[in-house]
Amino acid sequence: MSQRKSYAVGTGLFIVLGFAALAYLATQTSSVANRQQGASYTVDAQFENIGQLKERAPVKIAGVRVGQVQSIALEPGKAVADVKLSIDKRYDTIPADSVATVFTSGLLGDQYVGIEYGHARKYVGDGGKLAFTRSSAPLEEMLGKFFGAGGAADNIGGTYQVTARFTNVGTLSTGAPVKMAGVPIGQVVSVQAEPAKLDALVTLAIDNRYNQIPDDSSAAVFTSGLIGSQYVAIQPGGSPEMLKNGDEMILTQSALQLEDLIGKFLVNGSGNSGNSGNSGNSGNKKDAGSSTTPAGKQ
């Protein structure tokens, strides 16, 4: 009986300790979100996708908590989430061009808002707005970035569209980034085949902030890494006229396929060796000719 009683007591203690551990973990998790803060000011930020972001989620700068999410609401008439951030007044020198991003703690942790400092001399005040934001990245987009696709900041401020024609777009698809100097400035809206001109018509949506691109700039289809996703890179020209909505980029460079690169490498390699051999033979022929010509004359 005593042995059975000890087993029962041990089992009961194990269950109690298990529930206590779960309660402690729940308290610790919620304490991060419900942490008290002193005097604060409110800043607005808009996101196209907030994922699982919740109210009272942390707001961090350089990994240090500086505030929390005060409220989340859907912008009337728009598919945009309006997020109000309550930031401690001690951190009142956030540049106006800073970027607010929805991050995830770890692989499957809670989401929070991280602020990356900009370079503007003007600071965001109470009731101000962070214009530059990056939304929560779905798993598919994260995998795309892992393979080199990259991503641009949300273009909530609006875009303008330009077109470009390519003889070969490779695996370029809708949603691929448009980059300039390696920085994402937009995305590919559509890729359509033109039956009459036998080429591909690509429509690019570029952020309105980048409206000073010369109209003689060139567009090229590049690949991120060796086997990464493809994107459109813009090389600025020197024209005083700028690209406007509806313009077409005339100078383009199509995608290079791996088979083409291997073929060119093999052709160039064999061509060089063949040329060197031919040059040697031609040299021998010249020498023979120079020696036989006088003999013929004699």
Side-chain angles (χ1 to χ4, degrees), residues 52-104:
Q52 300 299 320
L53 186 70
K54 297 179 177 62
E55 294 183 3
R56 296 189 298 277
V59 177
K60 299 182 180 182
I61 297 177
V64 179
R65 180 176 177 133
V66 298
Q68 65 182 12
V69 176
Q70 179 176 322
S71 65
I72 300 174
L74 187 65
E75 185 75 9
K78 299 180 181 179
V80 174
D82 188 7
V83 180
K84 293 187 182 298
L85 312 177
S86 178
I87 302 176
D88 196 308
K89 280 192 174 180
R90 292 177 297 171
Y91 310 102
D92 57 353
T93 57
I94 299 177
D97 62 343
S98 299
V99 180
T101 308
V102 178
F103 289 121
T104 303

Side-chain angles (χ1 to χ4, degrees), residues 171-205:
T171 59
L172 185 71
S173 59
T174 302
V178 177
K179 299 182 180 182
M180 185 169 62
V183 179
I185 62 171
Q187 63 180 359
V188 176
V189 175
S190 66
V191 180
Q192 298 177 343
E194 288 286 307
K197 298 186 178 181
L198 302 178
D199 57 11
L201 180 65
V202 179
T203 304
L204 314 176

Side-chain angles (χ1 to χ4, degrees), residues 4-134:
R4 288 185 178 180
K5 189 175 181 179
S6 62
Y7 280 148
V9 172
T11 304
L13 288 175
F14 179 78
I15 295 175
V16 170
L17 289 176
F19 278 111
L22 289 175
Y24 174 77
L25 290 175
T27 304
Q28 289 299 106
T29 304
S30 61
S31 65
V32 174
N34 298 326
R35 177 180 166 184
Q36 298 292 332
Q37 68 178 60
S40 61
Y41 65 101
T42 303
V43 174
D44 291 338
Q46 293 183 334
F47 301 90
E48 291 185 350
N49 190 343
I50 59 172
Q52 300 299 320
L53 186 70
K54 297 179 177 62
E55 294 183 3
R56 296 189 298 277
V59 177
K60 299 182 180 182
I61 297 177
V64 179
R65 180 176 177 133
V66 298
Q68 65 182 12
V69 176
Q70 179 176 322
S71 65
I72 300 174
L74 187 65
E75 185 75 9
K78 299 180 181 179
V80 174
D82 188 7
V83 180
K84 293 187 182 298
L85 312 177
S86 178
I87 302 176
D88 196 308
K89 280 192 174 180
R90 292 177 297 171
Y91 310 102
D92 57 353
T93 57
I94 299 177
D97 62 343
S98 299
V99 180
T101 308
V102 178
F103 289 121
T104 303
S105 300
L107 182 61
L108 299 174
D110 294 330
Q111 291 184 309
Y112 65 94
V113 177
I115 298 178
E116 302 173 25
Y117 270 13
H119 304 282
R121 296 183 179 180
K122 183 180 178 181
Y123 302 132
V124 180
D126 187 25
K129 181 179 179 181
L130 290 172
F132 302 147
T133 61
R134 292 190 184 95

Side-chain angles (χ1 to χ4, degrees), residues 135-243:
S135 296
S136 172
L139 181 60
E140 296 82 359
E141 185 176 343
M142 295 175 64
L143 292 175
K145 290 182 179 180
F146 175 78
F147 287 107
D154 296 337
N155 299 321
I156 295 178
T159 61
Y160 65 98
Q161 295 186 358
V162 297
T163 58
R165 296 180 181 274
F166 301 91
T167 57
N168 191 344
V169 295
T171 59
L172 185 71
S173 59
T174 302
V178 177
K179 299 182 180 182
M180 185 169 62
V183 179
I185 62 171
Q187 63 180 359
V188 176
V189 175
S190 66
V191 180
Q192 298 177 343
E194 288 286 307
K197 298 186 178 181
L198 302 178
D199 57 11
L201 180 65
V202 179
T203 304
L204 314 176
I206 302 176
D207 197 307
N208 279 332
R209 291 174 292 170
Y210 308 100
N211 57 2
Q212 298 297 312
I213 302 177
D215 61 1
D216 63 343
S217 301
S218 60
V221 178
F222 287 155
T223 303
S224 299
L226 182 60
I227 57 174
S229 301
Q230 291 184 310
Y231 64 93
V232 177
I234 295 180
Q235 179 65 36
S239 172
E241 300 294 330
M242 305 302 166
L243 285 174

